[in-house]
Amino acid sequence: MPPNRALWRSVVLRPMIVALLLFSEVSLVGGIIGLWVLSDVHKGFIKVGSRGSASAIFSMQGALDRGQPLLWTTLPTFIFTLYRPFREAVVTALVIETPFIELYKSSSERPTEVRKSIYVDYRTSFSIVAWYKALRNSHTFLGLCILFSFVVSIALVPLAGGLFTEGGEFHATHSAINLLSTFDPTIDISIVDYGRLFDIVSASWIHDAPYPAGTEGHFALPRIRTAQDLHNYTISLLATTSQLSLDCQVVRDAVFTTKAETTNIALEAFSAVDRDCAISGDVAVGYTFPSYLKALSEQNCPDVAGRTRVVLFYISPSLSGDVQDPTLVSCIPSYWIVNGTVSVSGSTGFTGRLIEMPSFSETTREIKELPDLKRQQFEQAVINVQTINIGSKVNTPNRLAELAARYIDSKGLDFTEKSLIEAASTVYAAIYTMLCIDQFYPSLANSIQQEGILQIPENRLHVVKPVAIAMLIILAILIVETVYLIIYLSSHPSILAEEPIGLVGAANLLHDSNISCLVAKFHHEPGFDGRLRRSVTQASMSWWKKIPKTDDSLSRRECWVERDPTSKRLSIVVKSTAMDAECPQPFHEHTVSAYERISAPHAAHTPWLATGQQTMNAAPSVWSGSPPSTYANEGRDDFPEAFPALHDATARQRPPPHGGRQPQTRETRNNDIDMGNAPQLNNQQHSSGPLVAHPDSPSCQTHHDQASEEDHTSIVHSIQINPSSESFGDAAWQQGRYPGP
C-alpha cells in the first residue's frame, strides 16, 4: 500500500506559532488597558523624575535628566516594531500558501481559475496594491490580512511613540509651615510713600510687569515658607486678608457749569447726587490738551450712603471752547475681610535662585471697614498725590487720574464710561493692595509654625487617551483576524507536501502536469523574448481601458488537481482547448507502464541490460531522420514493423511537437533500463564495443530512400554511453534521436 501523501505547512502558520501571535496581541491590549487604569487612578502610572533639570546641559547628569523622554517614546515603539515583523511573517506565509490552498479544494467538477492559483503571486506587488488584487481574486481574508499588515506599519507602530506623555502631579502631605507675616490693620499709616506705591502699580498692573512679592494681583497675601529646605514644592495654609472694591456708577443728572478764569483757561464745575450722597467739584480746562481727567474724593456722605465717594470727572473740550458731553463716574469704596487658602509654589532655577509664585483661593468674605481714621488717611492721601503731565495726551492734575488714563491708553480702549469704570476699579484696588503689603503685613521677628499642606511635584507618566483608543481599536481588529486565521488554517490545507524551494520545488509540483506544454507554445511564437506577459499591441490606448496581454487566454483558463488514488500523487491540470490537442493528458487518464514505454523487439541482448553490469558500454539504435513518432505522423507503413511495441504507445501518447517529449522521471527511465526495455541492439555488434544501427535494419530504411550507399556510414551516428548512467536517455533526447517515453 502506498504511503499517505504528506501535508506541509509553513512553520509560522502552524498552530503554536499563530497562537503565540494571538497571545502577543492580547498581551498588548491588556498592557495598554492596565496602564490606562493605573494612570487614571494614581494620576500617572509611574514616577519618572523631575520635568526639568538643574544640572548643566552638557554634564552627564544633565544629559540623563533631559534624555528621560526618549525612554517612554522609544520603548513602546521598539515593542511594536518587534511585533510587526512577527505578523508580517505570518501574512507572508499565508500569501505563499494561498494559491496551493486554492488548488487543494479544486477538482475537475469544481475547477478554479489559473489567475487565482498557479498564476498569482501577491509578493510582487506593494502591500497597498496587493490587498486589492487579493480581494479581486476572491481571496477576501488574505486581502484583509495584507491590508491590516500595512496598517500596522503606517499607523500602529508610529502611534506607539505617542502613547505616553509626562505630566506634573503633586503628592500632598501635612507638614509644618513657617508663617513670616500676618495681617494687622492697626498699624499707623500716617507716613507712607504713596508715590512709590503708584510706581509699582503703574509697572505691574498697567504695563504688565511681574507682580511684586506678596500678591498675585488681587489680594495682599502673608509670606509663608517651608520648614525644610526644598527645591520644588507647593505649600498651602489657611489665611485672612483684606481687599478693596469699587462700586461705580455713571451720574447722568449732574449739573455742569463753566466759569472763565482767563482768556485761555476756564473752570468746569459739576454738582450731583449719587445714591443719597451729594458730590461736587471742578477742573481747570484749557486748549493745550484734547481732554482732561481729574479724580476727586468726597468724605462727608451719610453712613447709609457709603460714607465716601471716589469721583472721576472727564471733559473733552472742542476748539471753539464748548464742552462736549462731560462724563462723571462716582464710586463707593468697600473694604472686605476675605478668608481662604494661600498657596506658594517654589522652584529653583538654573541659577540656584528660589522663585516663588503665590496664589489665593477664596472661601468666604465679609465687609469690614477700616477704622475711620485709617480709611480717611488712605483715601485723602491717594487723591492728593500730584503729577506732572509729560508726554501725555490727557491732562491729569493728580496721580490717580493719570494712572487711570494710562490704563485706558495701554489697553487700547476709548475714553468711554465703561473704560473709565474699569480703569478706576483696577487702579484704586491695586493701590490699596500695595498699601496692605507695605504696611498691614509687617515681617515677624520670629516665624510662626502652622500645620499646612505640603505638595511635592512628581513628574509621572500618563497614557494619552486618544492614542490608546486608536491603538486598541486596531489591535482588537487584529485579534479577531488572528482568531479567524486559526480556524481558517485548520479547515484549509494546501497541496504542498514539502516546502517548495526554488525552481526544483516548482518542478516537483509541476511533475505530470500539462503546464509545460502550454508554456511551450509561447516559446515557439515569433518574437518571443522570454516573457509570457506582453502587450498585444504597441498602439496607445486610453488609460481607463485594460491593455490586452499575451497571457490573457492562459490566465482565464480553468485548472484543477487530479489525484491518483493508488500512488497518492497529484497532478496540476489546466483545461485544454482544441488547439492543445498535442499536449498530454493527466497521468491518471493515460497511464503507460514502464514496459510499454520502450519495447525491445529482439530479446537476445536484454540479459546484459538486466544484469546491471555498469561497466559495459552500449549504444542504442539511433535514427538518422525523424523519430518513430514522425513515421507514424507521415503514414509510413513500416512503422509498426520497425517499432512494434512503440507503435501502440505512440498512438496513444505522442510526444509534443518540435522534438518535445513527455515528462519521465529518472526513476522510471532507470527502471526501464533494468527491465531490459532498451532499444534493440544490432546482433552483429560485439557487446564490448561500440554499437551502431545496422544499415539493413528498418530504422535506416528512411535514409536508404534518401541518400546513396556511399554516404550511409557518414550519416549514421553512434553514441558511446553507460547504461547505468543518469544521462542514458538524456543524450539521445537532446539530439532528438530517441523517441522518449
Side-chain angles (χ1 to χ4, degrees), residues 221 224 234-237 341-345 357-361 455:
L221 303 175
I224 58 177
T234 296
I235 51 178
S236 301
L237 188 67
T341 301
V342 59
S343 299
V344 175
S345 296
M357 298 294 295
S359 62
F360 186 77
S361 177
Q455 296 177 321

Side-chain angles (χ1 to χ4, degrees), residues 582 623 625-636 638-640 642-643 646-662 702 733 736-741:
E582 296 181 352
W623 296 268
S626 300
S629 58
T630 308
Y631 281 83
N633 294 338
E634 295 175 357
R636 294 291 298 266
D638 57 347
F639 176 77
F643 306 94
L646 284 174
H647 175 264
D648 296 335
T650 308
R652 291 173 298 181
Q653 183 176 346
R654 294 180 179 179
H658 306 285
R661 60 183 178 88
Q662 295 297 332
T702 303
W733 269 314
R737 299 173 302 183
Y738 192 68

Side-chain angles (χ1 to χ4, degrees), residues 9 28 64 107 148 163 198 207 210 226 242 325 365 430 434-435 439 454 501 545 575 619 627 650 699 710 731:
R9 179 129 277 167
L28 291 174
L64 292 176
S107 63
F148 283 106
L163 181 59
F198 275 100
H207 298 289
T226 58
S242 180
D325 300 328
R365 68 165 50 208
M434 288 305 305
L435 176 67
Q439 299 295 325
L454 172 63
I501 302 176
K545 293 183 179 179
K575 186 177 181 180
T650 308
S699 62
E710 291 79 12

